[in-house]
Amino acid sequence: ATQQYSEIILSLLEVFQVNAILEPTSMETVLNTICTELEALEIIRNKRVIHDKLIKREQISGLGIPNTSMSLYHARSDEVVKPCFRVYTLPNPILVRGMDEADMEINTILLMLAPENTSKEVLEILSYISNLLIQREENIRLFELGDEIKIKEFLTKQFQRFLKEKNLF
């Protein structure tokens, strides 16, 4: 089990990045840019499918995290080659619906993708990340600032803690 968790964590850290979206006109175009990039990196196979899944997900319920300037876009699909967590920053805020159904402005997008039939370990690690995002005010600030090196250091530390808690380390 240790090896499985470690491999998933290493793979997530490998594909982790903070990217600036330069000309966000709408959430639709932002997600299009993101999916195009992920397809080129072979993290996903079919950008159309993932794009549509993320849009549908947003229509079902708001994805903005209340009291932050972030939204969490997430999906599972057969078109996802490997699990990924990435952060995207926007130069200007975009209006989205929050998880509390209120409209809110965001300038940070947290993206989480996993294959449709993925292991419970992958889901456990991704849900661990989701919890970190909103656990403490300083975690929120860290992700909102979008400093890739600092976020990666933070994630690495948290993953080590995760493995320790599982007594795998």
Side-chain angles (χ1 to χ4, degrees), residues 52-144:
D52 294 348
K53 254 202 155 151
L54 292 168
I55 295 285
K56 275 199 190 85
R57 178 98 227 178
E58 185 182 33
Q59 286 162 353
I60 295 167
S61 70
L63 299 174
I65 303 168
N67 307 315
T68 73
S69 60
M70 305 186 293
S71 64
L72 174 60
Y73 281 78
H74 51 100
R76 280 167 68 181
S77 164
D78 292 330
E79 298 301 329
V80 176
V81 180
K82 52 185 162 195
C84 102
F85 171 63
R86 290 167 83 99
V87 176
Y88 293 88
T89 59
L90 308 170
N92 310 303
I94 282 186
L95 201 64
V96 300
R97 196 156 45 115
M99 293 172 179
D100 58 2
E101 296 302 315
D103 282 347
M104 57 180 278
E105 289 193 327
I106 60 134
N107 51 24
T108 305
I109 296 165
L110 308 166
L111 178 76
M112 231 174 244
L113 299 173
E116 188 69 60
N117 298 311
T118 193
S119 67
K120 71 173 181 31
E121 287 83 358
V122 166
L123 296 176
E124 208 177 318
I125 291 169
L126 289 176
S127 111
Y128 180 74
I129 297 172
S130 306
N131 290 332
L132 286 177
L133 298 174
I134 49 176
Q135 229 165 35
R136 309 206 330 256
E137 195 62 35
E138 62 259 39
N139 296 5
I140 292 169
R141 295 295 149 258
L142 174 73
F143 285 97
E144 284 178 334

Side-chain angles (χ1 to χ4, degrees), residues 19 21 26-56 73-75 77 79-81 84 86 88 109 111-113:
N19 287 346
I21 303 279
S26 68
M27 208 55 214
E28 184 94 17
T29 57
V30 169
L31 292 173
N32 204 25
T33 303
I34 291 172
C35 291
T36 302
E37 175 200 67
L38 294 177
E39 189 180 69
L41 292 168
E42 296 179 358
I43 292 171
I44 63 173
R45 270 186 291 268
N46 185 331
K47 64 181 183 184
R48 216 41 280 135
V49 172
I50 303 297
H51 177 270
D52 294 348
K53 254 202 155 151
L54 292 168
I55 295 285
K56 275 199 190 85
Y73 281 78
H74 51 100
S77 164
E79 298 301 329
V80 176
V81 180
C84 102
R86 290 167 83 99
Y88 293 88
I109 296 165
L111 178 76
M112 231 174 244
L113 299 173

Side-chain angles (χ1 to χ4, degrees), residues 9-21:
I9 287 169
L10 282 173
S11 163
L12 280 167
L13 287 170
E14 235 166 68
V15 299
F16 175 77
Q17 241 184 353
V18 175
N19 287 346
I21 303 279

